[in-house]
Amino acid sequence: FFFSYPFSIAFFFFFHWVFILIYKQLWMSNNNNNNNNNLRYYSPDPSSQAPMETKHAMMGFPCVEKCSSRNREKHSIVADLDGTLTIGGSPFPYYMLMALEGGSLLRAIILMALSPLAWLLHTFISEESGIKLFIFLTFAGLKLKDIEGVARAVLPRFYAEEIHPESWRIFSSCQRYRGVVTSNPRVMVEFFCKNHLGADKVLGSELQVTKGGRATGFVLSSSGVLVGARKLNAIKEEFGDQIPDVGLGHQATDRPFLQLCKVHLKKNTMI
């Protein structure tokens, strides 16, 4: 009975939706408590209300609500995705959705079982190593067309529910150019960012794909996982001599690309 086809289908959908409900509740409750108070910004503009002495004391930033979104029609912006444009800082729920919808229940269970290891790598080794494990467990062996299908049909409605209103207020006000830079695989988030956020360009980690159209689970060695200085290099390559007007991030590894921008905004006290 336990291995019958109808039971397997029923168990799959039950597991799918229970997982989504649990993680959405835990994830949102953890972030909504600090939804507004954790938003900070710094602007080097002399007319800004931010005190100049807080330029290096990043913890002293005033709230981003004080950052005006007016008269930014001719400004360009580059923003991080997870934890910056979205409320939740962890990309794990989206990797789980990709593993469930694009792969199988077994893949999702393995990803969930090894997620504590990814957290340990992310916390005590490096952000890059944790993300690499997530990427390998989620994408290894998946067809590129299946990945793109989930990115178009499933992920957008979950990303849309998590958009942070203050981050969106600033991001949407900059109309000359909108860029999103993320450590997630580009193919996973590009459709949502371009079609729902109005992004002109999405800079993300690039998956290795075989000639048969399957992901190997690794990222291209030429670009690597976009964290820290790699985000900065990707933005420099995209913009050339032009400096983005606004940079929006939320964690210490976003500092390199934020320092490149004319106005630095952050959505967290971690920087």
Side-chain angles (χ1 to χ4, degrees), residues 29-48:
S29 63
N30 183 52
N31 290 280
N32 285 343
N33 291 333
N34 298 315
N35 190 17
N36 295 320
N37 294 332
N38 285 342
L39 292 170
R40 302 289 187 267
Y41 86 99
Y42 166 74
S43 170
D45 186 347
S47 63
S48 170

Side-chain angles (χ1 to χ4, degrees), residues 29-99:
S29 63
N30 183 52
N31 290 280
N32 285 343
N33 291 333
N34 298 315
N35 190 17
N36 295 320
N37 294 332
N38 285 342
L39 292 170
R40 302 289 187 267
Y41 86 99
Y42 166 74
S43 170
D45 186 347
S47 63
S48 170
Q49 299 179 24
M52 292 300 293
E53 60 268 21
T54 63
K55 179 175 182 179
H56 298 291
M58 306 290 278
M59 297 292 288
F61 285 1
C63 293
V64 77
E65 287 89 345
K66 297 179 181 179
C67 179
S68 175
S69 58
R70 299 177 60 184
N71 301 321
R72 294 195 181 275
E73 292 81 6
K74 297 182 179 180
H75 286 186
S76 58
I77 186 171
V78 177
D80 180 43
L81 181 60
D82 293 316
T84 301
L85 288 175
T86 63
I87 296 173
S90 173
F92 173 68
Y94 303 117
Y95 283 105
M96 178 59 75
L97 284 170
M98 179 64 71

Side-chain angles (χ1 to χ4, degrees), residues 78-81 179-183 201-204 226 231 234-235 257:
V78 177
D80 180 43
L81 181 60
V180 175
V181 59
T182 176
S183 58
K201 184 73 174 182
V202 179
L203 304 172
L226 288 194
K231 284 185 178 180
I235 292 171
F257 89 83

